Amino acid sequence: MAYSVSHNSFSTIPLFVGFLVVASSLAHVLSSPLMSDSGNRQMKDRTFKPAKDIQKLRRINAYLKKINKPAMKTIQSPDGDIIDCVLSHLQPAFDHPELRGQKPSDPPARPKRHNSTDANPENLQLWTGSGESCPKGTVPIRRTTEKDVLRASSVRRYGRTRRRHIRRDSTGSGHEHAVVFVNGDQYYGAKASLNVWAPHVTNEYEFSLSQIWIISGSFGNDLNTIEAGWQVSPELYGDIYPRFFTYWTTDAYRATGCYNLLCSGFVQTTNKIAIGAAISPISSYNGRQFDIDIMVWKR
């Protein structure tokens, strides 16, 4: 990712060619939400069930042990995040049977005329504000906490988007979209500059995002996507900071894919950017504007 001032930008995560700005209310929680007469979500009183709750906590602890890898160094971010500097070959991607025991290859060369000349990627996220950084040979990974997982409807659903009917228009399914897309040809890469804001969301289950979305297949069950951008998601992160994210699926969000590094699937190579960490600075109305540049290309 690269960074510059005035229209400051930080770049380049490889992803179609659709910019997607989404605001969506998601109604799934630890206990079922109810709608009040005023339309606001309310929570049912939660009855404590010792055996069931202990079993759930055991599942959560097993998941945390699996997803949080041993750290060579730990950095405390001012927003409360803990960033673990994990050896590259121990990141979650290498839990996949086909990658286990291997080491990451060198990052692919960027397409011609797209080498980054923008400044300092170290100053793009809150966790880097202290001047701390992850050593070479490691990747920064936001540590997942018990509170993070408890906000999800289940351990299995944590870090995964809800299956939804996929549309390219601006209406339907509780989402409000503004979309620009291109199709009908062969594409080997795409790049976008996304202005970064911290939009207000009205409750824990609403989110807002801006992303680049590369797709193949139809808008049915064979949909494949690679997605990256920024999002505000209190349910996923527990706060209202805009955060850099990635997502992927190979089956229209049914069983595959996840956000960030919360499952095997995305191999990180940089030690400068933490996927899922808060972006800073952000744009202000009638003030300075800050962008992230995201590029995706086929090797």
Side-chain angles (χ1 to χ4, degrees):
M1 291 187 164
Y3 174 78
S4 62
V5 200
S6 96
H7 236 64
N8 298 2
S9 68
F10 68 112
S11 89
T12 302
I13 306 242
L15 269 17
F16 169 77
V17 183
F19 309 106
L20 179 60
V21 181
V22 180
S24 173
S25 287
L26 300 181
H28 66 290
V29 279
L30 291 171
S31 50
S32 302
L34 297 175
M35 296 297 290
S36 68
D37 292 339
S38 62
N40 296 322
R41 283 183 176 79
Q42 295 179 336
M43 299 295 297
K44 283 182 179 179
D45 291 336
R46 190 174 184 276
T47 303
F48 182 66
K49 300 177 181 178
K52 185 176 181 180
D53 288 347
I54 289 171
Q55 185 180 24
K56 181 173 184 177
L57 287 175
R58 285 175 177 166
R59 287 196 299 266
I60 290 173
N61 288 331
Y63 173 78
L64 293 176
K65 186 175 180 180
K66 178 182 178 181
I67 202 71
N68 290 325
K69 304 302 183 181
M72 298 294 290
K73 179 180 178 180
T74 295
I75 300 170
Q76 180 70 56
S77 176
D79 61 346
D81 282 354
I82 297 174
I83 304 298
D84 290 324
C85 302
V86 176
L87 289 171
S88 297
H89 66 282
L90 295 181
Q91 63 181 289
F94 290 90
D95 290 338
H96 193 284
E98 295 186 14
L99 295 179
R100 193 172 293 133
Q102 299 185 36
K103 292 189 177 181
S105 56
D106 292 334
R110 296 187 185 209
K112 292 180 180 179
R113 299 184 299 279
H114 286 284
N115 288 324
S116 175
T117 57
D118 292 334
N120 239 330
E122 286 90 350
N123 298 324
L124 304 174
Q125 294 183 303
L126 285 175
W127 70 274
T128 63
S130 65
E132 295 277 358
S133 61
C134 284
K136 289 184 178 179
T138 69
V139 293
I141 300 179
R142 178 184 181 270
R143 186 182 299 179
T144 301
T145 68
E146 184 180 286
K147 287 183 178 180
D148 289 333
V149 185
L150 283 170
R151 285 191 300 271
S153 59
S154 69
V155 177
R156 187 178 65 85
R157 293 306 307 168
Y158 173 67
R160 300 176 186 272
T161 189
R162 299 181 71 197
R163 187 183 176 191
R164 60 185 187 269
H165 178 61
I166 310 300
R167 306 174 61 109
R168 283 183 302 198
D169 60 26
S170 59
T171 61
S173 70
H175 286 63
E176 296 175 354
H177 305 75
V179 183
V180 177
F181 67 91
V182 179
N183 60 14
D185 207 339
Q186 285 189 321
Y187 299 99
Y188 296 92
K191 183 178 180 180
S193 294
L194 306 178
N195 202 217
V196 181
W197 293 84
H200 177 70
V201 292
T202 58
N203 59 59
E204 182 181 351
Y205 309 108
E206 185 174 78
F207 72 87
S208 184
L209 65 78
S210 179
Q211 70 174 22
I212 185 170
W213 189 31
I214 298 180
I215 68 172
S216 67
S218 68
F219 278 77
N221 291 337
D222 64 340
L223 184 71
N224 281 252
T225 79
I226 301 172
E227 307 168 41
W230 61 261
Q231 65 180 169
V232 172
S233 177
E235 182 183 25
L236 186 58
Y237 303 107
D239 58 35
I240 55 172
Y241 290 109
R243 293 172 175 270
F244 173 67
F245 82 95
T246 61
Y247 201 94
W248 64 274
T249 181
T250 62
D251 61 357
Y253 307 99
R254 290 183 298 161
T256 64
C258 65
Y259 281 110
N260 308 332
L261 301 181
L262 296 175
C263 66
S264 299
F266 182 89
V267 179
Q268 180 166 341
T269 58
T270 180
N271 66 336
K272 308 294 185 185
I273 300 296
I275 303 173
I279 298 170
S280 179
I282 60 176
S283 301
S284 59
Y285 183 67
N286 282 337
R288 297 179 71 188
Q289 303 297 298
F290 297 91
D291 298 344
I292 56 172
D293 295 337
I294 298 176
M295 182 165 62
V296 183
W297 69 95
K298 184 177 181 179
R299 297 179 66 169

